[in-house]
Amino acid sequence: MSAQIISGKEVSAQVRECLKKDVGQMKLQDPNFRPGLVVLQVGDRDDSNLYISMKLKAAAEIGINATHMRLPKTATEEEVLHSITEVNENSSFHGLIVQLPLDSIHKIDTEKVTNAVAPEKDVDGLTSINAGKLSRGDLGDCFIPCTPNGCMELIRQTGVSVAGKRAVVIGRSKIVGAPMHDLLLWNHATVTTCHSKTVDLPGEVGKADILVVGIGKAEMVKGDWIKKGAVVIDCGINHIPDKSKASGKRVVGDVHYASAKEQAGFITPVPGGVGPMTVAMLMANTVLSAKRFLDSHKSGNWNISYTKLNLQKPVPSDIAISRSCVPKPIDRLAREVGLLSDEVELYGKTKAKVQLNIIKRLQAQPDGKYVVVTGITPTPLGEGKSTTTIGLVQALGAHMKLNVFACVRQPSQGPTFGIKGGAAGGGYSQVIPMEEFNLHLTGDIHAITAANNLVAAAIDARMFHEATQSDKALYNRLVPLSGGQRTFSPIQINRLKKLGIEKTDPSTLTEEEITRFARLDIEPSSVTWQRVLDTNDRFLRKITIGQSPTEKGHTREAQFDITVASEIMAVLALTSSLEDMRQRLAKMVVATSRSGEPITTEDLGVSGALTVLMRDAIKPNLMQTLEVGETLLTYKGYLKELYKPKNISVRALSFLYLQMTEAGFGADIGMEKFFNIKCRYSGLRPHVVVLVATVRALKMHGGGPTVTAGMPLPKEYIEENLELLEKGCSNMRKQIENAQHFGVPVVVAVNGFKTDTEAELDLVCSMAKAAGAFDAVRCSHWAEGGAGAVALGQAVQRASEAPSNFKFLYDLELPIADKIRIIGQKIYGADDIELLPEAQRKVELYTKQGFGNLPICMAKTHLSLSHEADKKGVPTGFVLPIRDIRASVGSGFLFPLVGTMPTIPGLPTRPCFYDIDLDPETEQVNGLF
């Protein structure tokens, strides 16, 4: 009786159908996910091309994104290894096979190339690591080579149990024979491997219940060698002469099929047996790799190790604490929180940037809870918003085991070397290494400085050149001859379209069109764009530029702002992608023409260059806290108090339970802008407001004495004074009310100091709850780290689950003055607003220019609810003076200037830099705080 034929075509078709369903299930988990496979080929061998086409066709049928990476015959070993490394680090590819043989004119070490493939992507199963795991029996933790895997699947189809059977494998190649031996052995067969030196090969074959042949010799195994009823798997592919075929040859296996099928119980044909299974199992390994990838990155608690703090009393200095903790390598932290290697750009060992491509990978993930940390109206005594933000994230992460990020602003060097010092938090709740955080970080603020000042230079240079040249000369220089021809750049084409000139040939413009194109005709007094510097320097608040003789008398008054007051900072704070940033940078209005038209950076031709300068700054920075409660850093605007967008700060973070953002200054400043501008543009809705308060700051709002830097604190701040404290709680009550205008639950964090008494802390908590706070909790995170903020974390968690009815404070369609009035009356407590003449003129101008529907970003002192910095508590009976209004069109808001306030700070008598120095032997920075 002839053997039953084991059809590889039929079995492989079944396997492919199952794989299609598996891919479909993966897409249900993540609609944007698709298994990825790369086939790397060196050279152009016809047989390799045929095999690759079969693999690509099978992948397309199943739903695998297969890429054929072809290198020329001239490729060197180094080039091949480089290509493999690129695929290893690309998270969109889950499988990589190197098509053998490598057809190069150069000598290439095949073993070295094969082992360069990342084991987790080695779907061919040929690396030493996967081979070693297979030989040890770790079948669930490796990739099994495709041909042996296919053979096992064919054996399973027969229904014959492998366990206890005697198996013979002929051939000991690394691709078939050796792994086939291991696979049969770990499926509990008794295995003999035969090869060219085997004595009495027919005798050994005759003992086999299961025979697998992969020796590479045509029809070597005869039928009379085979045990009656054996399972015969023929892996051979050989060509023998056959005059009846058009090609003059036919394909046969290593087994003499005609005689063997009379002896065997089951047998595979050649072709149509093992061949189709090899491709099918390659696809199966690719799908398996993709499944493993998805499983390792699915929603759930991060596999993160937290650092146990060694708390000391008294609490050492911030920098001493920072140095006492050894930071975790940032690439390890990135892996622990679900970031992939190609999504992280390392800046040394302790800081990194997160690539924007993470947005696409995680866009199907649900958003986490969104919490904003703000405070009462600031005082010189400090409220500790940054410290509370870090302490809270350490509590939620290290102690409550929730997935949580804190988004905090990057420090400006102005305050760092001025009077305030650094901004890394403090005590046992800080970002580390604090000197890395406070100094330069990854250069983002420097990039803003360079970009901003490029615009400033472009404005003055353009006005100078227009004033000193004829229309024709100006045009010829703007569109210079190159190779005998004039060509518009893409950004110049954009300007032509804006002007309604649908021409692309510079020689076809009329004289009138040339004038309109070449002349921006900027009114010098209308220039609103200032130069910036990341240093506190009061002598740059008003300057005269253009005094050199080379500028031919074209002088004008100007000023410097602090870098973080630049509109580019605000653009960075609100942008959601490189494309969005390019558009926002292009829309920035820098001046007005003499005819009243807004002049943009796109008109200046500089917006593309700005995008290039800012291309890395848009990427968020990743650092860590003392307890490795992960910190994703964003950026702070000195006037705007805005932060990075939803796509980068939330949706790009895998599987967050909660994400916290610190809004600068008091709730009337940072929180109001966060809600009315950031949340409006991002589409995200906050769940909780954490309002930070301290006993001593509230006492100042209650009428406590002035504090002088360097002098001991007055006794009112270090002794119990419930009457003063109760009066000062009016400011906290007003800030709670401000948050309630937006319909968001408020949790008050009472940041404790050692001089606070139990009665004082209880009073603040009780008055906060009476004012409508969801809860009020005392905290000791400065001295105890995350453990001192666990109660706060629990309150925040409860509040985040409570009903929230978030709403904006005003409708964008309202007139500009009405929007300003609503903020002034509802948030600051003003009786009304007063538009001074320049502000009134700007209202009319911006309304005419089409900017009237933008949100409002008030530029007001942060030291009082009113416009007068010395008015503490809750001032009443005042009218808010609006002296000017400026447009940040690229950012997407108008910012009224309230009263008088500097846009670049000055240095005090004794700046922080007196204490900052470098130890030349250890290279440690001393004196930062």
Side-chain angles (χ1 to χ4, degrees):
M1 182 177 177
S2 295
Q4 292 186 41
I5 308 302
I6 314 172
S7 172
K9 291 182 180 179
E10 292 179 8
V11 178
S12 67
Q14 295 170 14
V15 171
R16 292 182 191 188
E17 282 303 313
C18 290
L19 294 176
K20 277 186 192 178
K21 293 177 183 177
D22 289 342
V23 172
Q25 286 297 315
M26 284 188 264
K27 289 188 75 67
L28 288 177
Q29 290 182 54
D30 183 349
N32 300 300
F33 183 79
R34 194 176 176 193
L37 172 68
V38 171
V39 182
L40 176 62
Q41 179 186 12
V42 178
D44 193 33
R45 285 174 57 118
D46 290 340
D47 54 350
S48 292
N49 290 335
L50 176 62
Y51 298 144
I52 290 170
S53 66
M54 293 167 56
K55 293 167 185 174
L56 298 178
K57 181 180 178 182
E61 178 189 334
I62 292 165
I64 295 171
N65 179 29
T67 300
H68 183 189
M69 183 180 287
R70 191 194 297 267
L71 299 180
K73 293 183 71 169
T74 55
T76 63
E77 181 177 280
E78 184 177 347
E79 289 169 336
V80 175
L81 293 172
H82 176 74
S83 296
I84 290 172
T85 299
E86 284 188 334
V87 178
N88 285 343
E89 294 178 354
N90 190 330
S91 59
S92 62
F93 295 121
H94 312 100
L96 167 60
I97 63 172
V98 178
Q99 186 67 42
L100 301 177
L102 300 169
D103 182 24
S104 173
I105 61 173
H106 301 288
K107 183 179 179 181
I108 296 179
D109 186 337
T110 301
E111 185 76 7
K112 184 176 181 181
V113 165
T114 302
N115 279 310
V117 177
E120 66 272 14
K121 296 189 178 187
D122 173 30
V123 290
D124 252 344
L126 300 181
T127 62
S128 297
I129 290 177
N130 277 317
K133 288 183 176 181
L134 175 59
S135 69
R136 289 182 4 170
D138 298 333
L139 305 189
D141 188 34
C142 70
F143 286 111
I144 300 167
C146 302
T147 299
N149 209 5
C151 292
M152 284 301 298
E153 187 60 34
L154 292 172
I155 294 169
R156 290 188 195 99
Q157 292 294 318
T158 67
V160 174
S161 173
V162 174
K165 297 296 190 296
R166 184 178 292 275
V168 172
V169 178
I170 304 180
R172 53 183 174 182
S173 72
K174 295 178 181 179
I175 296 175
V176 180
M180 192 72 234
H181 172 279
D182 295 335
L183 199 51
L184 286 164
L185 178 66
W186 293 111
N187 277 274
H188 312 298
T190 301
V191 188
T192 301
T193 297
C194 299
H195 42 78
S196 59
K197 304 298 183 182
T198 299
V199 178
D200 189 16
L201 182 59
E204 295 294 340
V205 171
K207 302 173 186 177
D209 301 310
I210 299 170
L211 176 65
V212 181
V213 186
I215 198 69
K217 292 187 178 181
E219 299 183 326
M220 187 188 78
V221 177
K222 311 303 181 187
D224 57 5
W225 295 9
I226 297 169
K227 181 180 180 180
K228 192 69 175 176
V231 176
V232 178
I233 306 296
D234 189 352
C235 303
I237 298 178
N238 308 284
H239 294 89
I240 62 173
D242 188 336
K243 294 180 180 178
S244 67
K245 302 292 183 181
S247 63
K249 57 185 178 181
R250 63 186 172 93
V251 177
V252 297
D254 292 349
V255 177
H256 189 273
Y257 183 76
S259 60
K261 73 176 182 178
E262 299 303 320
Q263 282 289 106
F266 299 89
I267 191 169
T268 58
V270 177
V274 173
M277 290 302 298
T278 298
V279 176
M281 300 322 285
L282 172 63
M283 300 301 117
N285 277 350
T286 303
V287 171
L288 174 61
S289 179
K291 280 183 181 178
R292 288 174 177 171
F293 176 87
L294 269 185
D295 287 344
S296 66
H297 293 87
K298 70 181 179 181
S299 190
N301 283 345
W302 291 329
N303 182 25
I304 186 169
S305 60
Y306 294 99
T307 303
K308 184 174 176 60
L309 294 177
N310 180 23
L311 302 177
Q312 296 182 32
K313 292 185 179 181
V315 177
S317 68
D318 291 349
I319 198 161
I321 293 173
S322 175
R323 287 181 182 156
S324 70
C325 297
V326 179
K328 182 183 299 184
I330 202 68
D331 56 339
R332 177 183 160 195
L333 174 60
R335 289 193 301 272
E336 290 180 342
V337 299
L339 299 176
L340 307 177
S341 60
D342 62 321
E343 294 168 345
V344 179
E345 184 178 340
L346 302 180
Y347 279 64
K349 296 179 180 179
T350 57
K351 53 191 177 182
K353 280 192 170 291
V354 180
Q355 301 284 4
L356 300 186
N357 59 12
I358 191 176
I359 297 171
K360 183 177 180 181
R361 176 169 74 86
L362 297 176
Q363 62 186 356
Q365 294 293 338
D367 293 336
K369 302 293 184 181
Y370 203 26
V371 178
V372 59
V373 180
T374 186
I376 61 172
T377 302
T379 71
L381 292 168
E383 292 69 52
K385 290 187 301 296
S386 298
T387 304
T388 300
T389 301
I390 302 305
L392 179 53
V393 78
Q394 290 182 166
L396 290 161
H399 297 270
M400 296 170 64
K401 307 306 181 194
L402 298 175
N403 295 353
V404 57
F405 266 84
C407 291
V408 298
R409 76 281 182 272
Q410 185 176 144
S412 163
Q413 286 184 186
T416 298
F417 291 102
I419 191 169
K420 179 180 177 292
Y428 287 104
S429 295
Q430 58 174 298
V431 181
I432 57 169
M434 63 96 77
E435 56 266 52
E436 293 281 353
F437 179 59
N438 285 318
L439 302 173
H440 305 297
L441 196 52
T442 54
D444 299 328
I445 292 181
H446 300 318
I448 294 165
T449 303
N452 183 98
N453 292 344
L454 179 62
V455 176
I459 294 168
D460 288 303
R462 186 60 174 263
M463 289 193 295
F464 173 79
H465 291 306
E466 287 189 21
T468 55
Q469 298 179 60
S470 66
D471 290 356
K472 185 175 181 181
L474 187 63
Y475 181 73
N476 287 342
R477 285 185 171 90
L478 287 170
V479 193
L481 277 171
S482 178
Q485 287 187 319
R486 299 186 190 275
T487 306
F488 290 123
S489 69
I491 204 166
Q492 290 177 322
I493 295 288
N494 291 344
R495 173 155 172 78
L496 288 168
K497 289 179 180 177
K498 178 181 177 180
L499 296 171
I501 302 172
E502 297 295 331
K503 296 179 180 178
T504 57
D505 184 351
S507 66
T508 61
L509 267 65
T510 66
E511 288 188 7
E512 185 266 341
E513 288 171 339
I514 286 174
T515 300
R516 289 173 60 209
F517 169 80
R519 292 204 176 272
L520 300 180
D521 200 23
I522 294 171
E523 168 55 54
S525 64
S526 75
V527 175
T528 56
W529 195 269
Q530 309 299 344
R531 288 165 172 81
V532 298
L533 190 68
D534 194 30
T535 302
N536 290 1
D537 190 346
R538 63 187 345 112
F539 287 93
L540 294 178
R541 289 171 179 168
K542 190 172 184 179
I543 60 172
T544 302
I545 61 173
Q547 292 187 329
S548 169
T550 55
E551 274 51 73
K552 302 178 182 178
H554 292 279
T555 62
R556 68 180 181 92
E557 283 192 351
Q559 69 183 59
F560 269 78
D561 293 338
I562 191 81
T563 293
V564 286
S566 168
E567 183 177 354
I568 295 176
M569 176 67 84
V571 166
L572 187 67
L574 288 168
T575 195
S576 58
S577 66
L578 278 170
E579 181 181 5
D580 178 62
M581 183 172 72
R582 172 67 176 81
Q583 293 170 359
R584 287 178 179 271
L585 291 171
K587 291 190 293 185
M588 293 190 304
V589 174
V590 301
T592 302
S593 71
R594 289 186 171 89
S595 62
E597 293 298 314
I599 303 300
T600 67
T601 55
E602 187 84 350
D603 294 323
L604 282 168
V606 74
S607 52
L610 299 182
T611 310
V612 171
L613 286 171
M614 296 301 295
R615 64 174 183 164
D616 289 325
I618 189 178
K619 303 169 189 173
N621 298 303
L622 182 71
M623 288 188 76
Q624 61 193 280
T625 67
L626 285 168
E627 296 184 73
V628 200
E630 312 69 49
T631 302
L632 184 70
L633 304 174
T634 58
Y635 305 85
K636 166 186 171 183
Y638 178 70
L639 292 178
K640 287 85 176 176
E641 290 306 314
L642 298 169
Y643 297 82
K644 261 212 188 301
K646 55 154 186 179
N647 286 21
I648 296 174
S649 65
V650 179
R651 289 199 175 117
L653 305 179
S654 50
F655 330 126
L656 285 177
Y657 172 80
L658 186 147
Q659 184 256 338
M660 300 191 323
T661 293
E662 179 190 348
F665 299 147
D668 58 306
I669 301 289
M671 183 196 71
E672 181 270 317
K673 294 170 176 58
F674 176 83
F675 286 156
N676 279 324
I677 301 176
K678 176 173 177 176
C679 290
R680 196 186 296 268
Y681 280 123
S682 73
L684 289 174
R685 297 296 177 260
H687 295 82
V688 186
V689 170
V690 174
L691 183 73
V692 182
T694 64
V695 166
R696 59 188 196 175
L698 289 171
K699 286 179 179 179
M700 179 169 281
H701 281 295
T706 301
V707 174
T708 304
M711 299 294 291
L713 286 178
K715 63 181 179 60
E716 287 84 352
Y717 299 117
I718 57 178
E719 295 178 3
E720 185 174 286
N721 191 327
L722 297 179
E723 181 182 355
L724 194 63
L725 178 60
E726 185 172 357
K727 287 176 62 179
C729 282
S730 61
N731 185 272
M732 176 182 67
R733 187 184 306 115
K734 174 57 179 166
Q735 299 291 24
I736 293 172
E737 176 190 307
N738 285 342
Q740 290 173 333
H741 283 311
F742 298 91
V744 183
V746 181
V747 174
V748 174
V750 185
N751 187 13
F753 286 75
K754 63 182 180 180
T755 55
D756 301 339
T757 68
E758 289 293 316
E760 288 175 328
L761 294 169
D762 288 342
L763 177 62
V764 176
C765 290
S766 64
M767 293 197 72
K769 293 175 185 177
F774 178 90
D775 204 350
V777 183
R778 61 176 72 179
C779 313
S780 54
H781 43 272
W782 179 81
E784 299 176 16
V790 169
L792 176 62
Q794 292 168 341
V796 168
Q797 186 177 22
R798 291 194 304 273
S800 71
E801 303 296 339
S804 176
N805 184 30
F806 178 75
K807 55 185 179 293
F808 297 117
L809 192 66
Y810 53 80
D811 190 323
L812 290 181
E813 302 303 316
L814 289 173
I816 295 172
D818 287 356
K819 288 182 282 194
I820 297 172
R821 183 174 291 108
I822 288 171
I823 296 172
Q825 292 178 335
K826 289 191 174 182
I827 301 299
Y828 305 151
D831 289 346
D832 201 355
I833 64 168
E834 179 188 7
L835 292 178
L836 300 182
E838 182 62 19
Q840 184 61 51
R841 187 183 74 83
K842 292 291 182 63
V843 166
E844 295 167 3
L845 175 65
Y846 295 146
T847 301
K848 178 183 176 182
Q849 291 179 336
F851 305 142
N853 291 338
L854 293 176
I856 302 299
C857 182
M858 302 288 280
K860 179 188 76 70
T861 178
H862 60 289
L863 296 173
S864 173
L865 284 163
S866 74
H867 58 287
E868 297 179 86
D870 60 342
K871 302 293 186 185
K872 303 302 179 186
V874 183
T876 58
F878 65 94
V879 174
L880 200 68
I882 311 300
R883 65 177 175 89
D884 195 1
I885 301 175
R886 295 176 185 170
S888 288
V889 180
S891 310
F893 55 74
L894 302 176
F895 62 100
L897 303 179
V898 182
T900 58
M901 59 176 293
T903 54
I904 184 168
L907 289 172
T909 304
R910 192 186 189 284
C912 297
F913 61 64
Y914 273 85
D915 301 310
I916 298 172
D917 206 341
L918 184 74
D919 186 322
E921 292 188 9
T922 64
E923 297 188 11
Q924 285 190 338
V925 176
N926 298 319
L928 275 180
F929 68 95

